[in-house]
Coordinates of all heavy atoms in Angstrom, one line a residue:
E4 N 4.5 10.6 23.2 CA 3.1 10.1 23.2 C 2.4 10.5 21.8 O 1.7 9.7 21.4 CB 2.3 10.5 24.4 CG 0.9 10.1 24.5 CD 0.9 8.4 24.6 OE1 2.0 8.0 25.0 OE2 -0.1 7.8 24.5
V5 N 2.6 11.8 21.5 CA 2.0 12.2 20.2 C 2.5 11.4 19.0 O 1.8 11.0 18.1 CB 2.2 13.8 20.0 CG1 1.9 14.2 18.6 CG2 1.3 14.5 21.0
E6 N 3.8 11.1 19.1 CA 4.4 10.3 18.0 C 3.9 9.0 17.9 O 3.7 8.4 16.9 CB 6.0 10.4 18.2 CG 6.7 11.6 17.8 CD 8.1 11.4 17.7 OE1 8.7 10.2 17.5 OE2 8.8 12.5 17.8
R7 N 3.6 8.3 19.2 CA 3.0 7.1 19.2 C 1.6 7.0 18.4 O 1.3 6.1 17.8 CB 3.0 6.6 20.7 CG 2.1 5.1 20.8 CD 1.7 4.9 22.2 NE 0.7 5.8 22.8 CZ -0.6 5.6 22.4 NH1 -0.9 4.7 21.5 NH2 -1.5 6.4 22.8
I8 N 0.9 8.1 18.9 CA -0.5 8.1 18.3 C -0.5 8.3 16.8 O -1.3 7.7 16.0 CB -1.3 9.3 19.0 CG1 -1.5 9.1 20.5 CG2 -2.6 9.7 18.2 CD1 -2.0 10.3 21.3
I9 N 0.5 9.2 16.3 CA 0.6 9.3 14.9 C 1.0 8.1 14.1 O 0.4 7.8 13.1 CB 1.8 10.4 14.5 CG1 1.3 11.9 15.1 CG2 2.1 10.5 13.0 CD1 2.3 12.9 15.0
G10 N 1.9 7.3 14.8 CA 2.3 6.0 14.2 C 1.0 5.0 14.1 O 0.8 4.3 13.1
E11 N 0.1 5.0 15.1 CA -1.0 4.3 15.2 C -2.1 4.6 14.1 O -2.7 3.7 13.4 CB -1.6 4.1 16.6 CG -0.7 3.4 17.5 CD -1.5 3.2 18.8 OE1 -2.8 3.2 18.7 OE2 -1.0 2.7 19.8
I12 N -2.2 5.9 13.9 CA -3.1 6.4 12.9 C -2.6 6.0 11.6 O -3.3 5.5 10.7 CB -3.2 7.9 13.1 CG1 -3.9 8.4 14.3 CG2 -4.0 8.5 11.8 CD1 -4.0 9.9 14.7
A13 N -1.2 6.1 11.4 CA -0.6 5.7 10.1 C -0.8 4.2 9.9 O -1.0 3.8 8.7 CB 0.9 6.1 10.0
A14 N -0.6 3.5 11.0 CA -0.8 2.0 10.8 C -2.1 1.6 10.5 O -2.3 0.6 9.9 CB -0.2 1.2 12.1
G15 N -3.1 2.5 10.8 CA -4.5 2.1 10.4 C -4.8 2.4 8.9 O -5.9 2.2 8.5
G16 N -3.8 3.0 8.2 CA -4.0 3.2 6.8 C -4.1 4.6 6.4 O -4.2 5.0 5.3
A17 N -4.0 5.5 7.4 CA -4.2 7.0 7.0 C -2.9 7.4 6.4 O -1.7 7.0 7.0 CB -4.6 7.9 8.2
R18 N -2.8 8.3 5.4 CA -1.6 9.0 5.0 C -1.4 10.2 5.9 O -2.3 10.9 6.3 CB -1.8 9.4 3.5 CG -2.1 8.2 2.5 CD -2.8 8.7 1.3 NE -3.1 7.7 0.3 CZ -4.2 6.9 0.4 NH1 -5.1 7.1 1.2 NH2 -4.3 6.1 -0.7
I19 N -0.1 10.4 6.1 CA 0.3 11.5 7.0 C 1.2 12.5 6.3 O 2.1 12.1 5.6 CB 1.1 11.0 8.2 CG1 0.4 9.9 9.0 CG2 1.6 12.1 9.1 CD1 -0.8 10.4 9.7
V20 N 0.8 13.7 6.4 CA 1.8 14.9 5.9 C 1.8 15.8 7.0 O 0.9 16.4 7.5 CB 1.1 15.6 4.6 CG1 2.0 16.7 4.1 CG2 0.7 14.6 3.6
M21 N 3.1 16.0 7.4 CA 3.4 16.8 8.6 C 4.5 17.7 8.4 O 5.6 17.6 7.7 CB 3.7 15.9 9.9 CG 5.0 15.1 9.7 SD 5.2 14.1 11.2 CE 5.5 15.3 12.4
T22 N 4.4 18.9 9.1 CA 5.5 19.8 9.2 C 6.1 19.6 10.5 O 5.5 19.3 11.5 CB 5.2 21.3 9.1 OG1 4.3 21.7 10.2 CG2 4.3 21.6 7.7
T23 N 7.4 19.8 10.5 CA 8.2 19.6 12.0 C 9.5 20.3 11.8 O 10.2 20.4 10.8 CB 8.3 18.1 12.1 OG1 8.9 18.1 13.5 CG2 9.2 17.4 11.2
H24 N 10.0 20.9 12.8 CA 11.3 21.4 13.1 C 12.3 20.5 13.6 O 13.4 20.7 13.8 CB 11.2 22.7 13.9 CG 11.0 22.3 15.4 ND1 9.7 22.1 15.8 CD2 11.7 22.5 16.5 CE1 9.8 21.9 17.1 NE2 11.0 22.1 17.5
N25 N 11.7 19.4 14.0 CA 12.6 18.4 14.8 C 12.9 17.2 13.7 O 12.2 16.4 13.2 CB 11.5 17.7 15.8 CG 12.3 16.6 16.7 OD1 13.1 15.9 16.2 ND2 12.0 16.7 17.9
L26 N 14.2 17.3 13.4 CA 14.8 16.4 12.3 C 14.7 15.0 12.9 O 14.4 14.0 12.0 CB 16.2 16.8 12.1 CG 16.5 18.1 11.5 CD1 17.9 18.3 11.0 CD2 15.6 18.5 10.4
G27 N 15.0 14.7 14.1 CA 14.8 13.3 14.6 C 13.4 12.8 14.5 O 13.2 11.6 14.1

């Protein structure tokens, strides 16, 4: 669900910079 939300925020034009330990 969090990934879905991030995708929608990005689709709205926001640039995303994230740290993650999850390679997938």
Side-chain angles (χ1 to χ4, degrees):
E4 185 61 19
V5 167
E6 286 189 21
R7 178 194 68 78
I8 295 165
I9 293 170
E11 290 194 11
I12 294 173
R18 300 158 179 86
I19 305 291
V20 183
M21 65 182 293
T22 67
T23 179
H24 69 285
N25 186 323
L26 297 189

